[in-house]
Amino acid sequence: REIRYGRHGRYCARDGARERGGKRPRLTKEPRARALPPWRACSRGERRITRARTRSAIARCTAMRIVMKKNSKAVSVAPFILLVAMVVWMGSAECVSSSTAPQNEVASVLSSDAAVDAEANDGGVVVSDDGQSTPWFYHGLEGPGFKEVATEGNYSVRVYGATSWVATTISGKGMEKAGNEGFMRLFRYISGENERKQKIEMTVPVLVTVTPAQGPFCEDNFTYHFFMPEEFQDDPPKPTNPDVFLDNQAGMTVAVASYSGFSNEKKVAEHGSKLFAELEEDKQAFNDDTYFWAGYDSPFRLINRHNEVWVKLTKFDEA
């Protein structure tokens, strides 16, 4: 028989019989062994496998760190890429504009429909504020025609004919962030993201319709527009992006306040407030639900920059 000895006598492990009054010994726990790392608790072959797996895990973590660092760099250079794209776009359009024949220059700048509508409004030709057929701030690019009918204090009054634009609306963001997103949507459209996969030349201005929020918990809306060149005014290609749409603007009369330099959201609000105040002082009837900002320059044009704020007039009384 297998005999075990406890503190109080011996104990028969086979059938549990006790001898010499011995009691069943109390089962005691063995001392807990110190935890060993996997490569010491395993055999030599298993240790090699464990080390290989550890090195593989470290390599994966390192690769993830590298990818995350690259992604962060890509995000940080996104604004710079946007600026470069705008410059290339402007430069290519200027090259195309300068290579056209002289008899096509006026047609490339002024929309024929806009010219006819503007002439009907005031019986004259479409001119800019300096009396020439091509406004200087168009820089040779194509843009909507207009007739300047009056100058009142720090603003002028223009009449625009019906025109076609491509547009996209951004909500819930500041003007500058909305501008980056809206510009890239429209840029992809003119770069071939349309049903005809057709590339469209650059035009001016980049027009932004600003619709202020109606309450403290509402969102501002910014609708960005690109003017459609004359050849696409009647039949523009349809966008494939559901966030981009074609916008046919009716003829309108607007009060225009101009300013130079680089623009931002603060300057747009400042000049817009001044224009609204002057219109109220002159007792002009206007639409106060929305206003417009028009930009004409590449980000890298350092001098002779031109910006405008438009307010749509419902009725114009010339003093």
Side-chain angles (χ1 to χ4, degrees), residues 78-79 81-86 89 168 170 177-191 193 224 226 241 244:
I81 294 174
L82 174 62
L83 296 180
V84 172
M86 292 179 68
W89 188 36
T168 185
I170 311 293
K177 290 185 178 179
N180 291 338
E181 184 176 347
F183 178 88
M184 290 309 300
R185 287 182 189 175
L186 300 180
F187 180 76
R188 285 191 288 267
Y189 167 81
I190 66 170
S191 298
E193 198 175 273
Y224 285 77
F226 281 179
N241 185 344
V244 178

Side-chain angles (χ1 to χ4, degrees), residues 107-127:
S108 66
V109 175
L110 303 174
S111 166
S112 58
D113 291 340
V116 171
D117 291 339
E119 288 177 348
N121 280 316
D122 202 40
V125 296
V126 179
V127 298

Side-chain angles (χ1 to χ4, degrees), residues 215-241:
F217 301 105
C218 301
E219 297 178 343
D220 298 325
N221 289 334
F222 302 96
T223 302
Y224 285 77
H225 304 76
F226 281 179
F227 178 72
M228 297 302 299
E230 181 188 5
E231 61 177 307
F232 299 108
Q233 279 290 308
D234 295 330
D235 186 24
K238 294 182 180 180
T240 55
N241 185 344

Side-chain angles (χ1 to χ4, degrees), residues 254-319:
V254 293
V256 180
S258 305
Y259 61 97
S260 60
F262 287 89
S263 185
N264 53 39
E265 187 171 352
K266 182 179 179 181
K267 289 185 177 180
V268 173
E270 178 183 347
H271 289 278
S273 298
K274 290 181 180 179
L275 180 56
F276 278 122
E278 286 194 54
L279 292 174
E280 287 182 341
E281 185 177 349
D282 294 342
K283 297 181 180 180
Q284 299 289 354
F286 58 87
N287 182 359
D288 60 354
D289 292 333
T290 60
Y291 61 95
F292 305 87
W293 174 79
Y296 295 86
D297 301 297
S298 148
F300 291 103
R301 184 181 294 279
L302 303 180
I303 60 174
N304 297 326
R305 298 185 64 85
H306 186 78
N307 309 277
E308 295 174 348
V309 176
W310 300 358
V311 173
K312 188 175 182 180
L313 301 178
T314 56
K315 182 180 179 182
F316 173 62
D317 295 327
E318 190 172 359

Side-chain angles (χ1 to χ4, degrees), residues 35-282:
L36 296 177
W39 53 86
R40 292 186 59 188
C42 305
S43 65
R44 181 174 299 178
E46 292 174 341
R47 286 202 297 269
R48 282 199 294 267
I49 295 174
T50 303
R51 287 169 182 167
R53 289 176 179 174
T54 304
R55 285 194 295 268
S56 177
I58 293 173
R60 286 196 298 270
C61 293
T62 305
M64 290 182 63
R65 291 194 191 100
I66 294 173
V67 171
M68 293 175 65
K69 189 175 295 184
K70 286 183 178 179
N71 290 341
S72 64
K73 289 182 179 178
V75 172
S76 64
V77 300
F80 177 74
I81 294 174
L82 174 62
L83 296 180
V84 172
M86 292 179 68
V87 171
V88 172
W89 188 36
M90 298 282 286
S92 61
E94 289 176 359
C95 293
V96 172
S97 178
S98 62
S99 63
T100 54
Q103 59 267 26
N104 293 330
E105 289 182 357
V106 175
S108 66
V109 175
L110 303 174
S111 166
S112 58
D113 291 340
V116 171
D117 291 339
E119 288 177 348
N121 280 316
D122 202 40
V125 296
V126 179
V127 298
S128 66
D129 54 355
D130 59 0
Q132 299 181 6
S133 58
T134 304
W136 68 268
F137 45 83
Y138 279 18
H139 301 296
L141 302 181
E142 188 173 353
F146 63 87
K147 177 74 167 87
E148 187 170 290
V149 297
T151 301
E152 303 287 340
N154 295 323
Y155 67 90
S156 59
V157 179
R158 296 178 189 170
V159 177
Y160 284 89
T163 48
S164 294
W165 305 69
V166 61
T168 185
T169 300
I170 311 293
S171 301
K173 295 183 179 180
M175 189 173 186
E176 295 178 5
K177 290 185 178 179
N180 291 338
E181 184 176 347
F183 178 88
M184 290 309 300
R185 287 182 189 175
L186 300 180
F187 180 76
R188 285 191 288 267
Y189 167 81
I190 66 170
S191 298
E193 198 175 273
N194 51 67
E195 288 186 351
R196 303 177 197 168
K197 301 187 182 304
Q198 190 166 11
K199 293 186 177 180
I200 302 172
E201 294 179 9
M202 157 60 169
T203 58
V204 290
V206 175
L207 185 67
V208 184
T209 304
V210 183
T211 306
Q214 299 299 320
F217 301 105
C218 301
E219 297 178 343
D220 298 325
N221 289 334
F222 302 96
T223 302
Y224 285 77
H225 304 76
F226 281 179
F227 178 72
M228 297 302 299
E230 181 188 5
E231 61 177 307
F232 299 108
Q233 279 290 308
D234 295 330
D235 186 24
K238 294 182 180 180
T240 55
N241 185 344
D243 295 325
V244 178
F245 58 93
L246 299 174
D247 185 20
N248 295 321
Q249 294 267 2
M252 60 181 177
T253 301
V254 293
V256 180
S258 305
Y259 61 97
S260 60
F262 287 89
S263 185
N264 53 39
E265 187 171 352
K266 182 179 179 181
K267 289 185 177 180
V268 173
E270 178 183 347
H271 289 278
S273 298
K274 290 181 180 179
L275 180 56
F276 278 122
E278 286 194 54
L279 292 174
E280 287 182 341
E281 185 177 349
D282 294 342

